[in-house]
Amino acid sequence: MDKILEAVVMSSYPNNVKQGLVRRVIEASKQPMDSEQCWSMLELSTKLYLTGDTKYKREVGKEVLEVYGHYHPEEFEEFFNVRFLLSLLQEGYGPLGKRSHYVLDYIQLGLQFVLESPSANTIFSLLRIEVLRKVCERPSPKLCAKISKLLIQYPQCIPTGKHQLLFCQQLIRCIGQFQCVSEGEEEIMEFLEQVNKVSGLLQRIWRTQTSAILPSLKELFTIISSTEEQEAPSNALASVVQFVPLELMDGVIRNLTNDDSITDVQMMMAIGRMIDWVSWPLGKNIDKWIIALLKGLAAVKKFSILIEVTLSKIEKVFSKLLYPIVREGALSVLQYMLLSFQHSHEAFHLLLPHIPRLVASLKKEDSNSATSSLEQLAELIHCMFFRFSGFPDLYEPVLEAVKALPIPNEDRIKHLLGQNAWTSQKNELACFYPRLASKSETGKIGLINLGNTCYMNSIIQSLFMASDFRHSVLNLTEGNSQPLMTKLQWLFAFLEHSQRPAISPESFLSASWPPWFTPGAQQDCSEYLKYLLDRLHEEEKTGKRIYQKLKESSLMSQTVERHYLNKTLIEKMFGGKMMTKIRCLKCLNVSSREEAFTDLSLAFPPSDGNVRGTTSILPVEEIGPQFIEPPENAGQLMGSPWIRRKAPKASDHAAPPMSVETLGFQEPGEAANPKRGNDVGVDAAKDPPSTFGEQACAPKDSRSVPDLINYFLSPEKLTAENKYHCEKCASLQDAEKVAELTEGPHYLILTLLRFSFDPRTMKRKKILDNVSIPVVLKLPILVAPEETEEVCQCGKDDSVPGSGFMTVVYDLCSVVVHSGISSESGHYYCYSRECTDTVPHGQPRDGVPKPTSDKQLDFEIQWYLFNDTRVSFSSFESVSNVTSFFPKDTAYVLFYRQRPGRQSCLLHEALAEAGCLHAEPSLHKDLMEAISKDNILFLQEQEKEARNRAAYISALPKSPLWWRDLDRDKDDDSSSGGCSPAAGGGGSSSFHGLVF
């Protein structure tokens, strides 16, 4: 019968004829027959099953074996003996070089017919040994899957005792070497199925023998933490972790992170490879294990490992958000990595170039998964904006990409940041602040944030960029009896000459610290600036004065000495004077008092738009790109009811934009001009189109700096509880108070009073109104007639004849921005440029601005953005638009520099004669030596850091180039498949790139 069957199978008959003949043979085989015939048929069917060159032959062999196993069990058991099985497993079947690949399938097929036989236990014992031997030989994924299939169906064949633990460990070693060599989607799906079968066997063993889990995990960790030069273990190991019970997670992680035998390099290698597992498409709970290990490392303060791994892997994790099949796990890992990396902006900034492309891809996908991921991603981005504010130029493209997505409230943001931080003790991360390899391309140097000290850093950088002040400080002589000024000199000198990308202002902070400030808490930068200038001023007054030394060396003229010898450097640079006048409305008596100031604190007018007085508001003007055209009717500017005026003659030229007749006293009984100054000065300034052209997202009631100055200088009624005690009337009377600037400071500091106390909530709130900032500001200064003549000798007369007012022009040089909604929180950064006299001024003539080509030169001065350690190039456009893009980022303190040739000519003469202006400051010997030594030390530190970092980074696992995933995200709708970057798009190659 075996000859007949073999002849039929090998014949060239049509398949339907063959099948009929084979069916007859098989039916005949069910009848009783002698043992010899059974053996012949079993040998033939074994040959067909194991070496058949077609699927049909193997199917015939399988069917015959099953018939003989059912109908001739004794003969089958005799044939399917231990010796035969041992030969199959150790020697194989078939000719050399063409051994059968179906031995394990054959054994699995035959075992079902010998389960009850006396030889069953012997066979199982043999198989337990042989499967362990085979696994130790590192079989291919296909063969390993066949072993797993066999053992899952027949668990009696699974090694027991110590051999079982060894088997699990060797099986994990096998998985670690699995590689998919094909890029075809069918082959990849087959590979994934094979891996699942193998890891499924481990799950089966662990369910019955939980004691094998921890040793298995130890072996897994040994594999992924290995630092030997070899091929990286397969990501298929992710399939093992998914079957570890989550209740064991805490204990496993605690043991790992507290094991002193595990080096930092090994731990970094292990966590790096685990993070690569986010690309494994079939893993469950992988993200939970990765996050748990990251948290465990944070708990034992392994911050250096966390930093290196995060910076090296976060872009790859981010790129996996393109793929729906792994998106959920990748997003979880990304969220933790970003939200926990709170000591530096480095990790978030690595992703900035790629976020717009990813957002566009997810929007195009238009699936539930993409929509949910977009919302979570937007929440994450806004958390990062909140934590690392002060980068408007970098953030604008990202903000544009996510502008249509929901924005989380501040409580939600604080909650997410609070629960994910590595540590609540910020000082523990002090040594891990961004390691900048070199100076900023700007050539400027940053300041290290010492724990919410951005308020100080912004002020220091603004003062440093005030070049006249900086030169004066650097030119101070040694032993000037001014300890704080000396520390500022050292800080400025290091900012000028250090080779470091950023320096620590720790020494200056401790010396200039206001005693009521709480360490580590955010403070008001304006309050710090006032305190600092006051300290420096008082210190110079009580010590040796710098200009006394200049007098002794006869470097100063008598005129300059008379005007400036008694002034401190702070007074010379930042000091101005203001006259406050109060007129009793009953007796019309006027009292006046002159006060010095170093800054003007500008309140916001009431939201209803009503100013506090009924008389005119001084029309402070802005020129340059935001110039207010002069009124056609000069009489419109003659609106103050407090002064006597001459009637304008027909031959007179049009009044200048800032009429000197806008503030003063009116003789009793003289009628006020019905056309008030605020009709032009305020309304024009408040009209955004006429003020500075269109500005994106500017609110309709957007204010300008001239608005706030006008409001500051407007008359104030003193009535009701605020009545004025008139000495002439000897009683409380209604009165009117007005302020006039009598001396303009060289550097005008304007503080916008954005923080106010809300009695309803009992908290300080912030006014978030956008305020347009003019790059050039014209300010009227009241001068005495005799002073007018003296001042005008220094330059062209910009005053109005007989009025007592003169125009002083100021250039914007720094803007300190506060990001946040409270003075007790948020972040400070500043924009600055270096205004000097070498730049053409484009000053107005007779009140008419020069052509745009001259004024445009103001924009040729480079702007910089100072944000703690980071310094970057910027522009006035960024300064102007920052609040439009980031509503919580608002201008707070402004620095303007007075143009020379007017009231400031005496100061410029003094500085020039003293050699302080525009010359390279000559530092004293000790300071130069300190800088030189520190620069040498920095170079040595760089060399050492480079060596250590190279050794450290070389331990990180090498992974495929992450950006290839993002580069594949093209507008290609011709492809198909379900695992691509876009919904329904992408071919097999993209899938292969995802997994491997």
Side-chain angles (χ1 to χ4, degrees):
M1 187 179 294
D2 58 303
K3 300 297 183 183
I4 298 173
L5 178 61
E6 186 173 14
V8 170
V9 171
M10 300 298 179
S11 70
S12 58
Y13 294 142
N15 282 343
N16 58 340
V17 175
K18 287 186 183 180
Q19 288 171 357
L21 295 173
V22 169
R23 180 58 52 199
R24 291 184 182 182
V25 173
I26 288 177
E27 289 298 323
S29 298
K30 295 179 181 178
Q31 305 302 317
M33 62 179 64
D34 60 63
S35 177
E36 186 178 349
Q37 185 62 46
C38 284
W39 269 76
S40 298
M41 287 295 289
L42 286 170
E43 286 178 344
L44 175 61
S45 59
T46 297
K47 178 183 176 182
L48 289 173
Y49 188 88
L50 291 175
T51 61
D53 55 3
T54 65
K55 185 178 180 181
Y56 173 71
K57 291 177 183 178
R58 291 196 298 274
E59 286 294 332
V60 171
K62 177 184 177 183
E63 199 168 352
V64 173
L65 282 169
E66 288 176 338
V67 167
Y68 278 81
H70 279 296
Y71 293 96
H72 307 283
E74 293 180 3
E75 288 78 5
F76 187 89
E77 181 183 344
E78 186 180 352
F79 178 81
F80 200 77
N81 59 64
V82 171
R83 184 176 300 175
F84 175 57
L85 294 181
L86 182 62
S87 173
L88 286 177
L89 290 168
Q90 292 187 353
E91 300 173 14
Y93 189 93
L96 287 174
K98 291 186 178 180
R99 296 296 192 189
S100 174
H101 300 298
Y102 300 99
V103 170
L104 287 173
D105 305 89
Y106 176 82
I107 293 174
Q108 184 176 349
L109 177 65
L111 278 178
Q112 60 183 310
F113 304 113
V114 296
L115 292 176
E116 305 298 330
S117 69
S119 62
N121 287 334
T122 307
I123 292 174
F124 293 151
S125 179
L126 168 70
L127 289 175
R128 283 194 287 268
I129 296 172
E130 284 302 307
V131 295
L132 177 58
R133 180 184 62 80
K134 285 218 173 265
V135 167
C136 290
E137 292 173 354
R138 305 287 181 267
S140 66
K142 187 174 183 179
L143 183 56
C144 212
K146 287 184 177 183
I147 294 173
S148 301
K149 184 180 178 182
L150 169 66
L151 299 186
I152 288 173
Q153 185 173 353
Y154 299 107
Q156 304 96 317
C157 302
I158 296 175
T160 58
K162 291 182 179 180
H163 287 169
Q164 184 178 84
L165 179 56
L166 179 61
F167 178 76
C168 289
Q169 292 171 330
Q170 292 303 314
L171 201 58
I172 290 173
R173 289 266 174 194
C174 286
I175 297 174
Q177 294 188 0
F178 284 176
Q179 300 294 336
C180 183
V181 294
S182 173
E183 293 192 3
E185 191 162 331
E186 288 185 8
E187 289 82 358
I188 292 174
M189 294 304 295
E190 182 182 3
F191 174 77
L192 294 175
E193 186 178 353
Q194 291 164 357
V195 173
N196 258 12
K197 284 180 180 176
V198 179
S199 58
L201 173 60
L202 280 171
Q203 181 191 25
R204 174 73 178 259
I205 296 174
W206 289 348
R207 279 179 179 172
T208 56
Q209 293 292 332
T210 56
S211 59
I213 297 177
L214 292 181
S216 300
L217 289 181
K218 186 174 182 180
E219 188 70 20
L220 172 65
F221 186 82
T222 301
I223 295 170
I224 63 175
S225 64
S226 174
T227 58
E228 297 175 7
E229 288 295 328
Q230 57 183 11
E231 189 174 358
S234 171
N235 282 350
L237 287 170
S239 63
V240 175
V241 176
Q242 65 179 328
F243 295 122
V244 179
L246 292 180
E247 54 266 24
L248 296 178
M249 181 183 290
D250 289 343
V252 170
I253 298 300
R254 190 164 50 250
N255 288 339
L256 281 177
T257 54
N258 287 283
D259 190 340
D260 294 335
S261 65
I262 300 173
T263 66
D264 284 0
V265 173
Q266 288 175 319
M267 183 61 76
M268 186 165 60
M269 183 71 74
I271 187 61
R273 285 170 172 164
M274 283 183 68
I275 290 173
D276 287 342
W277 292 351
V278 297
S279 61
W280 186 254
L282 301 177
K284 297 178 182 178
N285 300 326
I286 303 300
D287 56 321
K288 293 183 176 63
W289 281 95
I290 294 172
I291 293 171
L293 184 51
L294 291 172
K295 288 182 176 179
L297 292 171
V300 295
K301 306 188 188 313
K302 297 284 188 179
F303 301 128
S304 58
I305 297 176
L306 291 168
I307 290 170
E308 296 294 352
V309 169
T310 300
L311 294 178
S312 64
K313 293 295 182 180
I314 195 165
E315 290 172 288
K316 182 176 182 181
V317 174
F318 180 81
S319 71
K320 300 310 170 187
L321 299 183
L322 290 166
Y323 302 93
I325 196 169
V326 298
R327 182 176 295 150
E328 183 179 356
L331 185 57
S332 295
V333 174
L334 179 72
Q335 284 174 322
Y336 179 76
M337 291 175 83
L338 274 183
L339 290 171
S340 62
F341 203 92
Q342 294 185 27
H343 71 287
S344 161
H345 55 259
E346 289 174 284
F348 178 51
H349 285 193
L350 286 174
L351 306 181
L352 293 179
H354 318 299
I355 291 175
R357 277 189 290 170
L358 177 67
V359 171
S361 178
L362 293 178
K363 286 180 178 177
K364 180 182 176 183
E365 182 178 317
D366 193 25
S367 65
N368 290 337
S369 168
T371 301
S372 173
S373 297
L374 272 174
E375 292 178 355
Q376 294 179 68
L377 184 62
E379 182 178 70
L380 189 57
I381 290 169
H382 282 290
C383 286
M384 295 297 99
F385 283 168
F386 180 87
R387 179 66 188 87
F388 304 115
S389 57
F391 302 91
D393 298 349
L394 289 177
Y395 292 169
E396 279 182 21
V398 177
L399 188 67
E400 182 68 21
V402 301
K403 65 181 180 181
L405 297 170
I407 301 175
N409 60 45
E410 188 168 340
D411 289 340
R412 170 67 176 165
I413 290 174
K414 289 180 177 178
H415 171 72
L416 289 172
L417 291 172
Q419 71 177 10
N420 288 286
W422 286 337
T423 174
S424 59
Q425 304 298 320
K426 294 182 180 179
N427 59 329
E428 292 180 341
L429 288 164
C431 58
F432 297 107
Y433 286 127
R435 292 182 299 275
L436 304 175
S438 60
K439 259 189 181 180
S440 160
E441 60 181 354
T442 64
K444 304 295 181 184
I445 297 176
L447 289 170
I448 295 172
N449 191 314
L450 302 173
N452 280 330
T453 58
C454 53
Y455 66 91
M456 180 190 71
N457 291 350
S458 298
I459 293 300
I460 294 300
Q461 295 286 19
S462 298
L463 293 174
F464 177 80
M465 292 297 284
S467 54
D468 300 334
F469 177 65
R470 178 178 76 247
H471 284 126
S472 297
V473 171
L474 292 176
N475 273 300
L476 288 175
T477 56
E478 196 173 3
N480 52 57
S481 302
Q482 300 176 62
L484 184 57
M485 186 68 83
T486 299
K487 286 186 178 293
L488 183 62
Q489 181 187 42
W490 278 63
L491 183 57
F492 278 5
F494 271 82
L495 285 174
E496 184 94 20
H497 298 288
S498 178
Q499 293 301 314
R500 295 182 183 272
I503 60 175
S504 172
E506 185 174 5
S507 176
F508 187 77
L509 173 66
S510 60
S512 63
W513 182 275
W516 60 90
F517 276 15
T518 304
Q522 186 60 278
Q523 306 294 343
D524 188 328
C525 77
S526 173
E527 187 178 3
Y528 174 76
L529 174 61
K530 288 183 177 70
Y531 177 79
L532 174 61
L533 296 182
D534 186 59
R535 277 276 310 276
L536 293 171
H537 168 68
E538 292 298 327
E539 185 178 83
E540 185 175 349
K541 280 178 63 177
T542 57
K544 288 185 178 180
R545 293 190 171 88
I546 181 173
Y547 285 101
Q548 184 63 42
K549 290 191 174 184
L550 292 176
K551 176 188 175 183
E552 293 171 358
S553 59
S554 300
L555 291 177
M556 298 180 66
S557 67
Q558 294 299 314
T559 304
V560 174
E561 179 184 341
R562 185 177 70 252
H563 280 85
Y564 289 100
L565 184 57
N566 293 325
K567 286 192 173 185
T568 66
L569 179 60
I570 300 303
E571 287 177 310
K572 293 184 181 82
M573 291 294 170
F574 305 103
K577 290 183 180 178
M578 183 190 331
M579 181 74 73
T580 302
K581 299 180 180 180
I582 302 177
R583 183 182 65 169
C584 174
L585 295 181
K586 181 178 180 181
C587 69
L588 301 181
N589 180 58
V590 177
S591 64
S592 61
R593 182 185 62 191
E594 190 174 52
E595 298 174 296
F597 68 88
T598 53
D599 80 313
L600 296 181
S601 298
L602 305 180
F604 283 70
S607 55
D608 57 9
N610 295 326
V611 294
R612 56 196 178 198
T614 58
T615 55
S616 70
I617 296 175
L618 176 67
V620 176
E621 297 188 20
E622 44 189 306
I623 62 175
Q626 302 176 7
F627 178 71
I628 302 175
E629 292 297 333
E632 293 181 6
N633 182 358
Q636 289 180 339
L637 287 173
M638 301 164 58
S640 176
W642 286 25
I643 63 173
R644 177 190 297 274
R645 300 181 187 81
K646 294 180 182 179
K649 298 179 182 179
S651 61
D652 286 348
H653 294 292
M658 287 185 293
S659 169
V660 294
E661 297 179 336
T662 54
L663 189 61
F665 288 105
Q666 177 186 358
E667 289 295 328
E670 182 175 352
N673 191 318
K675 291 191 175 184
R676 302 188 181 278
N678 61 337
D679 291 342
V680 173
V682 176
D683 292 345
K686 285 188 180 179
D687 182 19
S690 66
T691 303
F692 55 95
E694 292 190 18
Q695 186 175 24
C697 304
K700 292 181 180 179
D701 59 343
S702 175
R703 306 181 188 278
S704 67
V705 170
D707 285 339
L708 303 188
I709 300 179
N710 285 335
Y711 181 64
F712 176 81
L713 297 174
S714 65
E716 178 184 4
K717 282 289 184 65
L718 304 177
T719 60
E721 296 180 356
N722 199 27
K723 282 187 177 183
Y724 164 67
H725 185 273
C726 177
E727 293 181 359
K728 190 173 181 180
C729 299
S731 61
L732 293 174
Q733 297 293 337
D734 289 344
E736 196 166 38
K737 181 172 74 171
V738 69
E740 297 169 332
L741 300 178
T742 57
E743 183 179 319
H746 184 61
Y747 283 100
L748 173 66
I749 300 175
L750 303 176
T751 300
L752 311 188
L753 296 178
R754 292 189 173 276
F755 302 110
S756 61
F757 183 75
D758 187 349
R760 184 176 55 84
T761 60
M762 300 300 289
K763 292 181 179 179
R764 292 185 74 191
K765 65 178 182 180
K766 180 179 176 182
I767 300 171
L768 295 173
D769 294 5
N770 194 0
V771 176
S772 65
I773 304 169
V775 70
V776 181
L777 185 69
K778 294 172 65 178
L779 206 62
I781 304 297
L782 180 66
V783 292
E786 63 275 10
E787 291 176 347
T788 305
E789 286 186 20
E790 184 179 347
V791 170
C792 290
Q793 292 173 1
C794 296
K796 173 152 174 44
D797 184 7
D798 231 13
S799 66
V800 176
S803 69
F805 274 94
M806 63 171 292
T807 296
V808 177
V809 181
Y810 282 91
D811 295 296
L812 180 67
C813 53
S814 288
V815 178
V816 178
V817 177
H818 177 263
S819 176
I821 61 171
S822 167
S823 61
E824 289 83 19
S825 63
H827 179 63
Y828 289 99
Y829 57 95
C830 75
Y831 293 92
S832 287
R833 64 174 183 163
E834 198 159 357
C835 295
T836 62
D837 299 340
T838 57
V839 178
H841 302 134
Q843 295 187 30
R845 297 180 183 273
D846 299 324
V848 180
K850 279 193 174 183
T852 306
S853 59
D854 288 340
K855 293 180 294 179
Q856 196 66 30
L857 291 172
D858 286 317
F859 288 95
E860 295 177 4
I861 304 175
Q862 179 64 58
W863 281 91
Y864 302 95
L865 176 56
F866 294 89
N867 185 9
D868 290 335
T869 56
R870 182 180 183 271
V871 187
S872 58
F873 290 116
S874 191
S875 64
F876 182 69
E877 182 183 8
S878 179
V879 179
S880 302
N881 294 333
V882 63
T883 306
S884 300
F885 282 99
F886 303 92
K888 294 178 183 177
D889 290 27
T890 54
Y892 183 40
V893 178
L894 314 178
F895 287 73
Y896 281 89
R897 180 183 183 272
Q898 185 180 148
R899 287 185 180 178
R902 298 294 179 265
Q903 189 191 33
S904 63
C905 63
L906 295 178
L907 173 60
H908 281 266
E909 182 183 339
L911 292 173
E913 289 193 25
C916 300
L917 200 58
H918 309 312
E920 185 67 26
S922 55
L923 305 180
H924 58 78
K925 183 180 178 182
D926 288 349
L927 184 49
M928 285 302 299
E929 286 182 356
I931 294 173
S932 298
K933 286 180 180 178
D934 186 69
N935 286 339
I936 294 172
L937 178 62
F938 172 65
L939 293 176
Q940 293 171 345
E941 290 172 357
Q942 288 291 91
E943 292 174 1
K944 183 179 179 181
E945 172 71 18
R947 289 193 298 269
N948 294 342
R949 191 173 177 81
Y952 212 46
I953 293 298
S954 65
L956 284 171
K958 304 297 186 293
S959 56
L961 298 178
W962 57 267
W963 57 80
R964 289 179 181 169
D965 294 318
L966 288 165
D967 289 342
R968 290 193 191 100
D969 182 29
K970 307 297 182 186
D971 295 332
D972 182 10
D973 298 324
S974 60
S975 55
S976 60
C979 305
S980 61
S988 59
S989 62
S990 65
F991 187 82
H992 186 272
L994 162 66
V995 184
F996 316 106

